[in-house]
Amino acid sequence: MKPNKSLSRLFLVSFSLFLLLPLAAVVVIFLLNSYSSQEDSVSNRLNVIASSLTDRISSKLENPYKFLETVAEMTQEYGHEEPQMNSMLISGIKSFQIFEAIYILDSKGRILLFDSAYYKSYNKNDFIGIPLPEIATGTIADTKWSRAAISPLSNNMVVRAVVPFDGGYIVGDIGTDFISEMLAESVPDTNTVISITAPDGKIIASSIRSVTGSLANHPLLRHTGSFDPMMLKYKYMNEDRVGTIKTLKTPGWFLLYEQTAASAFVYFTQILTMNILSVVVLLAFSVFILFFIRAKLIVPMRLLTERSEMISQGMFIQFKDSEKGVFKELRTLYDSFEKMMITIDRREKELRDKEEYLRSVFDSTTTTGILIISMDDEPIIMDANVGTQIIFGYKLSELLGLPTAALIKELGNELSEMCKESRRTDVMVTKQLEMVKKNGLNFPVLCSVYPLFGSNGHIQGFICVCIDITEITRVQSELESEKERLDVTLRSIGEGVVAADKFGRITLVNSSAENILGQKYRFILGHNINEVLQVYDYETGKSLTERITDLSPKSNRTFRANMVTKDAGVITVFITSSAMTNNRGEIIGSVYVFRDITDRMKMEQELISRKKMLEDINKSLEKRVQEETEKRRKNEQMLFEQAKFAAMGQMISAIAHQWRQPLNALALYVQDIEDAHDSGEVDRNYLVSFASNAMRLIDHMSSTIDDFRNFFHSANSTEKVDVPSVILESLSLVTTQMRSQMINYKVQIKSGDKEQIYENRIPEDYTPINDITLNIFSSELKQVLLNIFQNAKDAIIDHRKSTGEKVGNLIITVTYKSDRLKIDIENDGGNIPEDTLSRIFDPYFTTKPEGEGTGIGLYMSKIIIEDHMDGLLVAQNTKTGALFSITLTYNN
């Protein structure tokens, strides 16, 4: 029995050396590697999240700061008193909603001009001259960003961005709430804290909003050298923590991202627990194996040894049937081991496939629906992400096993067909589908189907990515509707309208222009304007094409000319050319409005011939007087039409100015979609805000078209109107032009001891000063006022060229007297020469250069006031300019 004991002891030692000890070493090494790998994983995760947050916050702060630098450059060039500076501050508050206030300060830190999202609660003038303490005392005068402080306007936490320039500073108060919201959204659990601090440790924002004060003694702030650490382990507030610190380059702040060590390394703790349980199970299993081996291997080997000794001694004892079975069990053990290895290989492959599948699902964005679809003829949903649950309104348990046909609006399964096509071509298939939410609501979706390949290279299923495009579709539809409304308006105009870009390529042709030119829109679009508009001077026959297409930003020319057309040959037209400019005065295109007056010119020739005949015949003075009266009436009618045609050109120019700012703002909103998408900010709230802002601008542009369409429309009879309201409506059409030319205007309404004054604004809540109305054609009075306003604007611009002045003034005074109403329109654009003052109301008399004035505007204005309204229109010089006075009696 001693040899058997030695063999058993040898087996136990060998089992321990070659199995248990290596297995223990493997477990220890695995734990060490797991801990190291967990450290790397935690470090990478902390740095990725912190770096992403740093980039997003820096990006959010960079554009507002660049805007302040632009304001500083303009203030240094033009000064703070320019009206455009106030408009720019207002635009900045509206465009960058993180601004709570923007200040223009002098060199001593005193407020010269400011605007705020909260200023309606205060009087702006109360703040002028008040110094900002941090600037006046030099605390942050030489830095770009201040510490967090309480805003005096809103009582919110703000930081101040400072841009110095020669003679003062531009300061913007930026609320920190948006930073705190971004930090709070990025916190995965309650054991994580994210903070933004100034270089001195002052807390600017935190994921825990109630936290304020300073983190100057925080261990992370000791590592703010030339590099950002990957991960630090430290003890803070009697708690083990891990964290990282990143530098926000734009403001020079620090982002501190930290977690409790227990939360960060929870995965390693779970692995350690599982390994301990595994070791316990393994030890129990080893004891069982030792017992089994002893019974099935050691004992049979001892029997074999005994049998061998007996054979050597010449004795032979046959094995019992039970003893023979031991070799079969050894073979069974080998076979079981081999099957076990095959099963392990198959399970490892399944785990690798599952890992790739999980990686594909969770590497996708959570704001987009992602479905995993089976390869069946009628595919079902095998898995879905959170985005799918949000978009379709289903729970995950409801989606699993659901046929894809349940998500499609129409009968049939378009999603199944997309899967078949993707399987056939091995590429992505994308379509726009109408899909159905759980509540039955239909909505448009941009759907893409990708093949899901397994480790063997075969397709195992499909990944379906769904993007809700409801808001995008609605905005596109509304933009198309607005474009159609504009097209209908242009088609309803009797004059031909052609628009071209700054390179002279035609971009717009209305139906009237098609009829006049004898060419269809599709054959004209994209051609050079010089090739299409072949225009020659009516009197001299010289080509006017270069003159009407070579425009300066302030040009507005009207010609009577002959035009070559495709069908009608040469016709006579009145043509007006106007330049479209942006807010910087740069030409972005041109507009040409023309009307066929061939029949009118033939009528003029016929009238001339008849006049000669009447002079020859001249049988009766009464008949002669009647014919002359009729001739004068027709001439006046023709002049009236010419005046309306010229006013139409002025209205086109006004629309170009009215649309300039909304179009620029709309372009900024569209461009911001890409930045917002890259920053992960495109969610439903963002799209709702984008749609609301875009529709507000579109409604404003639509109302401008309605104003243009209704400007010259009047009823068939006179109507009772409030004259000041007509003046304010007319003034609103040229307000943008006045502002762009730096012309201030003031409207004064006086009735007895009552007085209303409006400076550089059209009131939204205008209330008549009294109940006195006049029975007139309001559109005719608008035409007169618009003509006088345009002449005043032109006079002020020409006067600046000789004097060098930058600002002009227009004063409109409405005075109610006992029996009449008087309208005084005064400008400071210089005096009218005395030798022309008495002739300015003559037909075809103009002081403007040839081609820039028709000489019929003031003539028709006098006829409208004096003949149509029984009033009086006179002009006189003042000390600095000219004064036009309109007197109307109440018995109109």
Side-chain angles (χ1 to χ4, degrees), residues 44 64 90 139 166 405 534 642 692 877:
N44 290 334
I90 295 173
T139 305
D166 293 344
Q534 300 181 29
Q642 292 176 356
S692 175
N877 285 321

Side-chain angles (χ1 to χ4, degrees), residues 213-256:
S214 175
L215 296 175
N217 295 325
H218 197 283
L220 285 177
L221 286 177
R222 301 171 189 167
H223 298 271
T224 56
S226 59
F227 66 95
D228 294 332
M230 292 293 290
M231 183 181 74
L232 295 173
K233 292 189 254 182
Y234 53 90
K235 195 173 188 67
Y236 186 64
M237 298 181 67
N238 296 323
E239 189 175 36
D240 291 330
R241 299 189 183 188
V242 295
T244 186
I245 181 167
K246 298 294 176 183
T247 303
L248 281 74
K249 295 181 180 180
T250 297
W253 299 335
F254 298 114
L255 183 142
L256 284 65

Side-chain angles (χ1 to χ4, degrees), residues 689-704:
S689 175
F690 168 78
S692 175
N693 292 332
M695 287 308 304
R696 175 174 52 80
L697 295 173
I698 291 172
D699 290 341
H700 173 69
M701 295 167 67
S702 177
S703 66
T704 303

